[in-house]
Amino acid sequence: MMKPRELGRQVLQDIRGFGFKQWFLVCLNVVLVLASLASWLGLRYVSGASGSISAAERFRGDSETRFAQLACYLPVGQGKTVEDIYNFRQSLETRFVEESLEAPEGGKLYLDAYSGQAEVTVSAENGSATVDAIGVGGDFFYFHPLTLRSGSYISEDDLMDDLVVLDEEMAWRLFGGVDLTGMSMTIGGKPFVVAGVVAREDDFATRRAYDGEGGIFLSFSALQELVEDTSISCYEIVMPDPISGYAKNIMTDSFPVEDGDVVENSSRYSLENLLAVIGSFGERSMRTNGVIYPYWENALRLTEDYAAALLALTVLFALCPLTFAVVIVIKYIRRGYRYVKKAVPERVEAAVEERREQRLEKEYEKNAGGE
């Protein structure tokens, strides 16, 4: 077989003999490799742009149990009630017991949140405005860890139901600042107290999906008192997923969404899912089931589209260099095969001839010594 040193000399000799065509192909493939690498890095960046799909990883901590994060989006007119959520929680806990899934001591097996949206009128020192209000329940801000500019979040455990969280835009619009903890305002004519001010996500997708006009967060029960026909349009959960698809199957079986959507966020940027996005590209923009996504889901769908496109570009840019590399490898394998095919018989024949001459010399010396 051709020795590495001989192979190296052969490669250098081939490179010295390159003409314009060969150098053009080399430069083209280098550019395509760099483009493929840039697309892959872009895919990594886009996949990590949003912080609203990391709840499963944070909830898992050091546990060896695998968890999945899912979101259910319900069509207009088919929303859930708080009672539906409580009933689902009971059925889920019963199922965990039946399947011998136990929570760690002092911990939980799942974490959930729900939300609904409605338009309300708010008033404060600097005037009034009509805004989009998000009524939240469960551990909403665990799933959406918006950066606090002042104060605190609201939670399901709060004793008072008159707390509100403003985003920065609304805080400046109503009060002219962000340090507002304890300040009073009215929503729909009812008094509320500012618990805190948050900054919306600053990733490129959210900036595209969120209109930036400002909004507020209050408890779902408080929003329902203000707007009676408000229903839960989004339900999110982190739960055990010991085998792939287990969590999603439970949601599909026990939390019917009719014409709605169930999305597994924890595998959103997996190869399988991105290939599915590529396969349905174009159809994704056609919504016929009456679901109106909240801004965070619209942002995630945008990053999903970008990630799928970048995956396709990564593969396309890499095809030519890979093909070029395979051709070169095959070329040198064939050259090595021809070298071996020619050199080995010659060396074998030379070795046989050398052995024959050695044997004849020994016989001659033996005969000469006998005389």
Side-chain angles (χ1 to χ4, degrees), residues 271-284 308-309 311-312:
L271 178 61
E272 181 182 359
N273 186 63
L274 291 181
L275 290 175
V277 172
I278 293 173
S280 62
F281 211 80
E283 295 179 9
R284 283 165 54 85
L311 173 63

Side-chain angles (χ1 to χ4, degrees), residues 30-87:
V30 168
V31 170
L32 289 174
V33 167
L34 293 175
S36 180
L37 179 61
S39 298
W40 179 76
L41 291 174
L43 170 59
R44 293 290 302 272
Y45 168 74
V46 167
S47 300
S50 175
S52 63
I53 59 172
S54 61
E57 184 178 347
R58 286 184 279 116
F59 185 72
R60 177 181 180 177
D62 297 328
S63 171
E64 295 182 359
T65 304
R66 188 174 70 169
F67 288 84
Q69 179 181 349
L70 297 102
C72 303
Y73 299 104
L74 300 151
V76 175
Q78 299 180 30
K80 300 289 186 179
T81 65
V82 175
E83 185 179 359
D84 292 330
I85 302 301
Y86 290 158
N87 290 337

